[in-house]
Amino acid sequence: MAIRKIRTDGDPILRKKSKVVSNYSDRLKVLIEDMYETMDIAYGVGLAAPQVGILKRIIVIDNRDGENGNRFYMINPEIIEKEGEEVSLEGCLSVPGKQGSVKRAKDVKVRYNDLSGEEKIMEAEDFLARILQHEIDHLDGILYTDKAIEMFEAESE
């Protein structure tokens, strides 16, 4: 496994639409493992492939509150249902030092593939739904700052 460089706002790759994954090779598994390691070292809860310079529709999640399992990945994720809405603070590994208030759906249903290409469905609510929407936006070249109602300097820990 390897830690990859996280691209930050201003890097043009973050504004490009990612390509659908159709080749489920061993290289894909290595990329996902690298993404987990990179996310962990940066203390993130989610990471999308474009954030490490790869224009493929892949996200990894570490949902620390444990809803739907703690760590998982999604290949070719697509939101197929949204319900409700709420405004909450978000941050991003690609936008260091900032936070913003963003309106998102409270509940989502996502269709995605696993490493064997099998189609799966996941339903998520609250924080996990927010993470999924944020990371899937990355796959379409959208940053949370594009949707933020208000931006703030991040509080230092």
Side-chain angles (χ1 to χ4, degrees):
M1 293 196 311
I3 296 169
R4 301 197 182 210
K5 179 183 181 228
I6 295 175
R7 307 298 180 96
T8 56
D9 195 12
D11 188 318
I13 202 161
L14 293 174
R15 296 305 187 162
K16 294 182 178 174
K17 189 170 174 102
S18 296
K19 293 172 179 60
V20 171
V21 173
S22 56
N23 182 3
Y24 294 85
S25 69
D26 288 342
R27 292 179 66 194
L28 198 57
K29 185 176 182 190
V30 170
L31 172 60
I32 289 168
E33 289 171 357
D34 289 354
M35 288 173 64
Y36 278 131
E37 190 169 354
T38 303
M39 176 181 64
D40 290 345
I41 201 95
Y43 301 105
V45 296
L47 189 69
Q51 291 180 273
V52 293
I54 306 294
L55 284 174
K56 292 188 179 194
R57 298 189 76 78
I58 303 168
I59 63 174
V60 297
I61 306 289
D62 186 350
N63 181 29
R64 294 189 172 98
D65 74 7
E67 180 187 337
N68 285 316
N70 205 28
R71 292 168 72 88
F72 59 92
Y73 65 89
M74 292 181 162
I75 301 169
N76 301 324
E78 175 187 7
I79 296 171
I80 55 175
E81 286 182 29
K82 293 182 180 185
E83 193 173 302
E85 66 180 33
E86 63 183 2
V87 175
S88 190
L89 275 182
E90 291 185 22
C92 182
L93 297 175
S94 292
V95 188
K98 305 276 186 200
Q99 290 183 317
S101 295
V102 181
K103 184 190 304 184
R104 297 221 187 248
K106 186 175 181 339
D107 305 306
V108 296
K109 186 184 280 189
V110 179
R111 177 176 41 228
Y112 65 99
N113 301 107
D114 65 13
L115 272 169
S116 66
E118 185 178 335
E119 187 174 287
K120 308 269 188 182
I121 301 279
M122 176 186 283
E123 293 184 26
E125 59 186 19
D126 302 321
F127 186 56
L128 180 55
R130 179 168 295 276
I131 296 169
L132 289 169
Q133 291 169 85
H134 177 110
E135 298 308 332
I136 291 170
D137 274 353
H138 273 298
L139 304 180
D140 293 319
I142 299 167
L143 297 177
Y144 84 95
T145 54
D146 301 335
K147 295 182 173 189
I149 299 164
E150 191 173 7
M151 290 297 296
F152 309 94
E153 295 297 317
E155 295 180 23
S156 56
E157 296 182 20

